[in-house]
Amino acid sequence: MDTIKSTTNKLVQPYKGYFPLGQSFGQNLNPIYKLKGLLGHGGQDIPMPLGTQIFSACDGTVVYISTDIARGEGVSVRSDEIFQYDGQDCKLSVIYWHLKDKSIVVKVGDKVKTGDLLGLSNNTGQSTGNHL
């Protein structure tokens, strides 16, 4: 099995407070995932109140901002830190989906630090409740 390793473990929780994990990678064998070529859910869902502030989990660069019909409003930050994946050096992209419309406060190319505000949680895209 491939693993991602970091020597400094610099990813942090991207919100304040405690919200239990709702759905993890590979969970939910809904047929929609199979149609998309996935074995299950392709991310981690964390249910949280509408409008919860979402912060960058790492130092990095904003590489993608989009509105997607399935995932809603989203931001992707590529880490500055080098990680090891299957014996190769790589930079990790952290993607934040289902953000509130017009709440994203960064733009592509922005440098962000761990803890910088990105936007607010919501229920945009194809989802069943407020979450990140």
Side-chain angles (χ1 to χ4, degrees):
M1 174 183 242
D2 295 332
T3 59
I4 297 174
K5 296 177 184 172
S6 164
T7 56
T8 58
N9 296 315
K10 286 197 163 194
L11 290 179
V12 300
Q13 177 177 290
Y15 48 84
K16 293 178 182 172
Y18 173 75
F19 306 107
L21 185 64
Q23 181 172 233
S24 192
F25 288 98
Q27 288 186 326
N28 189 347
L29 301 178
N30 185 318
I32 190 76
Y33 295 118
K34 190 170 186 175
L35 291 172
K36 294 179 179 186
L38 301 170
L39 297 176
H41 188 256
Q44 291 185 320
D45 285 345
I46 302 120
M48 60 185 55
L50 173 68
T52 300
Q53 292 181 314
I54 304 301
F55 306 100
S56 182
C58 61
D59 294 350
T61 303
V62 176
V63 294
Y64 185 72
I65 294 175
S66 181
T67 297
D68 181 284
I69 194 151
R71 295 169 280 200
E73 300 283 320
V75 174
S76 179
V77 175
R78 184 176 51 232
S79 70
D80 287 341
E81 183 178 1
I82 301 293
F83 290 79
Q84 290 285 314
Y85 176 75
D86 198 23
Q88 301 288 321
D89 286 348
C90 65
K91 291 190 176 185
L92 186 65
S93 286
V94 183
I95 305 170
Y96 310 82
W97 284 114
H98 307 294
L99 300 180
K100 184 176 181 184
D101 291 330
K102 298 180 177 63
S103 77
I104 296 171
V105 298
V106 293
K107 62 185 183 306
V108 171
D110 283 356
K111 290 285 197 180
V112 295
K113 294 287 185 190
T114 302
D116 285 353
L117 181 66
L118 300 176
L120 305 174
S121 68
N122 200 327
N123 187 27
T124 57
Q126 296 173 345
S127 72
T128 58
N130 298 320
H131 72 287
L132 173 67

